Amino acid sequence: MVFDKQNYVPGTHPDLPPPPGTVGIVGWVKNNLFSSLSNSILTILSLYLLYLLIQGGLSWFVVDAVVNANDKPSCRKIGDGACWAVIVKRFDQFIYGFYPLAERWRIDTSFLLLLIAAAPLLYPDIKFRKYMLIFSCLYPFIAFILIKGGVFNLLMIETNLFGGAMLTVIIGVTSIACSLPLGILLALGRQSRLKLVKLLSVCFIEFMRGVPLITLLFVASTMLNYFLPPGTNFNLLIRVIIMMTFFSAAYIAEVIRGGIQAIPKGQYEAADAIGLTYWQTTRFITLPQALKISIPGIVNTFIGLYKDTTLVVIIGLLDPLGIGRAALADTKWNGLSTETYLFVAVIFFISCFAMSRYSLWLEKKLSTDHN
Amino acid sequence: MNSKNKKNVIKINEMHKWFGSFHVLKNINLEVSQGERIVICGPSGSGKSTLIRCINRLEVHQQGHISVNDVELSGDLKNLEVIRSDVGMVFQSFNLFPHLSVLENCTLAPIWVRKMPKRDADELAMEYLERVKIPEQAKKFPGQLSGGQQQRVAIARALCMKPKIMLFDEPTSALDPEMIKEVLDTMIELAQTGMTMLVVTHEMGFAKKVADRVIFMDEGEIIEQNTPKLFFTKPTNDRTKLFLSQILNH
């Protein structure tokens, strides 16, 4: 730690390396894990606990687990770990619901196309973005035709056969895609100088935020029929998607309003001073900055919305949670709730974690503060 | 000065403004001829910033008349954007758009307000960035520049609209001392091109060097105006004398 004592002429002192043990892995371990006696004890204790957890968890999850069995009793005969057989046997239902077996390629194709359609929206630097965006615009129609059918010799599939993860993705992605633009409009409307636009936006936002989502879903499933002309059969799934969209649009609007209000007044003055119109200012100055600030809040709302899709189980739509509960109600698999709910949790965790990581990546990419 | 036979580009006539019940501008009368360089000074809160902000209608006056290039600024102004694009403005806090590169800051208005093709706008922007001596920063974002550089970009951004009048609202007040000079130099060069300029500033050196007329404001009124030479050597009003003694003796 002691350097050779050297005297430099003022103005010629070179940059010296930091003292050893303060940077790099050694430095990190020393600073974070063993910085004091109590800290060192905690570190060792935690390592021991971690070891116990992993050892016990591994045997239940993997070593003693059963993958192939026809019901719970035969599972228990083979091993006393997790009985993943319930997931394996019902895996197709968890993913496709009751969508006819022979037609499931349509779901797979739609999902793959969804990834292609989403890519140019999520990654602004992608190649051929202009052409891919055209496809993104067409995608909703393509997906609707593929999944619902009824034209081009495609068998018409009733929406009450939809279920599982596919249902979650359909409700989640559609509501997310629709609620962002609607939320932006509501946020702008709430800031508008036009009194009527402002009043309508405020009423919509406050009503949607003030009512529990379950209530809205009940309204969607039952009450809406009273308001629509008799004889119109308005698909339940579409009603649910509309309600979900309205609900999360209200939240998104408030998140974006926060972003808009965080923009310094000088930005608008500068935009006014160079002669931009209201819509030009909104498009080039307000929204790019407001949306960037609001990314964490927006993604937070989206993740909430995505998980709230499980509430549709209450009005009789079978998302993965509903499928899981149906499996548990089966006498063959009665009592395997840990395995079932863990699996459902994993399905949701993958999507939500991906969204969360994406938002971090996007925040970093859009940051223009340093370098 | 030699402005007798030149045309008046700004005419302000018996103008009043209130913020709520606070009477911030009182009976302002001012005519600015083309190419004239005016420095407005005065204690803080005297209404000097508000006055120049009224000229491009960032603030709305309630009484009296303002006309810019013979267009009256009033409530039923249809093409406010067009008039604003003829009047450039530079702010104390720069107000660059932080999410756009330096070049994009400069080309935004030419492209969307002047409807200029992007390539021409880029060329124009580079020309002005060269004039304010920072062409090499064109691809950077404002947050990566020093205060003096940011203010010079702000000047270039305003100039890209080819304005006929430039307003400066305390352009050097937010800068570190060593950066004030580079901004003032840019403004002096601009003054030499014959631009009509209204500058709110405390830089009396700039006023002496560049201004055709110095205006002193206090409590919302124009107290005194004169050529820099007479203004600094023979102020007539007591408040002007007090103000000058305060800012020149430190």
Side-chain angles (χ1 to χ4, degrees), chain A residues 168 192 249:
Chain A
T168 303
S192 173

Side-chain angles (χ1 to χ4, degrees), chain A residues 235-290:
Chain A
N235 187 289
L236 176 65
L237 183 59
I238 293 180
R239 281 184 270 168
V240 166
I241 290 176
I242 290 177
M243 281 303 178
M244 287 269 191
T245 303
F246 284 179
F247 186 75
S248 85
Y251 279 85
I252 296 277
E254 286 299 278
V255 170
I256 293 176
R257 185 167 70 99
I260 292 177
Q261 281 174 345
I263 299 174
K265 208 173 127 226
Q267 293 287 306
Y268 300 113
E269 290 180 352
D272 283 347
I274 54 175
L276 295 179
T277 63
Y278 170 79
W279 286 109
Q280 286 170 343
T281 306
T282 302
R283 179 174 160 198
F284 298 115
I285 311 299
T286 317
L287 283 183
Q289 294 189 64

Side-chain angles (χ1 to χ4, degrees), chain A residues 216-237:
Chain A
L216 291 178
L217 290 179
F218 277 132
V219 169
S221 74
T222 56
M223 259 174 66
L224 227 49
N225 281 343
Y226 296 112
F227 296 117
L228 293 168
T232 43
N233 185 16
F234 202 47
N235 187 289
L236 176 65
L237 183 59

Side-chain angles (χ1 to χ4, degrees), chain A residues 265-267 269-278 280 283-285 288-289 292 368-371, chain B residues 53 56 58 81 84-85 87 89 91 95-99 108-109 112-113 115 141 143-144 157 161:
Chain A
K265 208 173 127 226
Q267 293 287 306
E269 290 180 352
D272 283 347
I274 54 175
L276 295 179
T277 63
Y278 170 79
Q280 286 170 343
R283 179 174 160 198
F284 298 115
I285 311 299
Q289 294 189 64
K292 194 176 102 181
T368 55
D369 298 344
H370 313 284
N371 296 320
Chain B
R53 287 160 62 88
N56 67 349
L58 286 183
E81 284 86 14
R84 276 176 173 164
S85 64
V87 181
M89 183 153 195
F91 300 87
N95 293 348
L96 292 177
F97 305 127
H99 61 297
L108 184 65
W112 292 97
V113 181
K115 313 286 178 207
F141 288 101
Q144 297 163 271
R157 174 176 73 181
M161 290 301 285

Side-chain angles (χ1 to χ4, degrees), chain B residues 151-206:
Chain B
Q151 194 60 297
R152 285 186 283 151
V153 172
I155 294 172
R157 174 176 73 181
L159 291 177
C160 279
M161 290 301 285
K162 304 224 166 126
K164 301 187 176 73
I165 301 162
M166 283 286 285
L167 309 172
F168 292 84
D169 187 4
E170 306 204 26
T172 56
S173 299
L175 295 175
D176 292 335
E178 75 261 34
M179 292 168 186
I180 292 179
K181 189 179 174 297
E182 62 185 58
V183 171
L184 288 180
D185 286 347
T186 308
M187 290 168 61
I188 291 168
E189 270 174 42
L190 181 63
Q192 285 159 354
T193 65
M195 174 70 74
T196 312
M197 291 165 74
L198 275 87
V199 185
V200 172
T201 185
H202 298 294
E203 296 295 331
M204 291 303 125
F206 175 80

